[in-house]
Amino acid sequence: MPPASREKTRPSVFWPLAAIAAPLIALMFKLEIQGAEKLPREGAYVLAPNHYSEADPLAVALAVWKAGRAPRFMAKESLFRVPVLGAVLRATGMVPVARSSSAASARQTLETSETLVRLGRGVIVYPEGTLTREPDLWPMRGKTGAVRLALADDIPVIPMAHWGVQQVMPRYGKLKLWPLRRRVRVLFGDPVDLTAYQGEGPANLTGATDKVMADIADLLAQLRGESAPAERWNPADHGQKETGRLEP
């Protein structure tokens, strides 16, 4: 593994949390991590992983911690108002996200981007916004939240894919704790080249999002040893409702 960043080696609330959570998560998942050196050692970044199980955040958080950075996620604004939980989210630097695509949401995106750069923090954003609806668990079409956050302040987007979490918790299924330490493979990719999508406008945001999703799908194809579908699954084309999304 590459050396840890300053945000991991400096004392913080992550230390006691990791001391408790990391061994417990490691009982469920035996992570095999490739490309950890591609996660920036310092400074802001947006990490964009695939999403196919409710247990994904546990594996992703442990992979990021093992890669040398403090894992911070986008979280619904409403969670920050929950007693105790809200305090923990704020103390660990989790990032609130508005669920609407209003002007206030756009303003919040810009403020969040500036904060990430100023504090040198990374954030984990699921670009699909919710669990994939693709029948074979390939990434479906993405939302623009991740790229809007990145393009607002020229923050690198790091694609990431993982495979194996579904053995512990299938999509919309029940948790399966036995046998312990199921193999989960994790692959970090090179920063996504978004230079062709600079500037405002829906076309740029859509194109940048499609590029990010393609890179994630390519990484997952390497892990699975299969070819990814040529087109991203669109739930609307199949009468599926996208619930639980965190991004407009």
Side-chain angles (χ1 to χ4, degrees):
M1 286 294 173
S5 65
R6 287 177 293 175
E7 68 175 3
K8 183 177 177 181
T9 54
R10 288 174 177 170
S12 72
V13 70
F14 277 103
W15 283 17
L17 290 176
I20 297 170
L24 294 177
I25 299 172
L27 285 176
M28 293 188 290
F29 307 126
K30 181 182 179 182
L31 297 187
E32 298 178 3
I33 303 173
Q34 296 175 269
E37 71 282 356
K38 295 177 181 179
L39 195 65
R41 293 302 90 204
E42 305 292 344
Y45 66 87
V46 173
L47 181 66
N50 59 321
H51 196 18
Y52 57 86
S53 167
E54 289 92 336
D56 285 347
L58 298 177
V60 171
L62 183 58
V64 171
W65 184 252
K66 285 181 171 290
R69 295 297 301 257
R72 295 181 172 90
F73 289 86
M74 283 282 197
K76 292 184 293 185
E77 278 184 319
S78 59
L79 295 178
F80 286 77
R81 296 191 289 272
V82 177
V84 181
L85 175 59
V88 172
L89 293 175
R90 285 188 289 272
T92 53
M94 300 300 170
V95 179
V97 58
R99 299 191 66 170
S100 69
S101 56
S102 63
S105 174
R107 188 164 54 251
Q108 183 188 59
T109 296
L110 182 59
E111 291 172 354
T112 297
S113 182
E114 292 172 347
T115 299
L116 292 176
V117 171
R118 176 169 51 83
L119 298 178
R121 291 177 173 176
V123 66
I124 302 162
V125 183
Y126 288 107
E128 294 162 276
T130 186
L131 297 180
T132 181
R133 301 297 194 272
E134 207 280 336
D136 293 323
L137 304 183
W138 290 100
M140 63 178 182
R141 72 181 182 95
K143 303 293 182 180
T144 61
V147 298
R148 283 193 292 112
L149 186 62
L151 291 173
D153 242 310
D154 198 25
I155 299 173
V157 178
I158 311 299
M160 171 186 171
H162 57 85
W163 188 243
V165 176
Q166 74 279 6
Q167 300 174 90
V168 175
M169 193 170 190
R171 180 179 54 185
Y172 307 123
K174 295 182 179 180
L175 190 64
K176 301 177 181 179
L177 293 178
W178 192 262
L180 298 175
R181 290 181 58 74
R182 296 285 192 125
R183 183 190 188 207
V184 175
R185 300 176 64 201
V186 177
L187 181 58
F188 291 91
D190 292 313
V192 183
D193 184 3
L194 298 179
T195 53
Y197 307 102
Q198 299 293 330
E200 299 180 359
N204 276 339
L205 292 175
T206 299
T209 300
D210 290 344
K211 172 60 175 170
V212 170
M213 297 311 303
D215 283 10
I216 296 171
D218 287 346
L219 294 174
L220 184 58
Q222 294 179 48
L223 293 179
R224 293 175 58 165
E226 307 172 46
S227 296
E231 295 184 9
R232 302 281 84 77
W233 182 270
N234 186 346
D237 293 340
H238 301 273
Q240 297 173 325
K241 185 178 180 180
E242 297 178 71
T243 59
R245 64 190 182 194
L246 297 181
E247 311 170 45

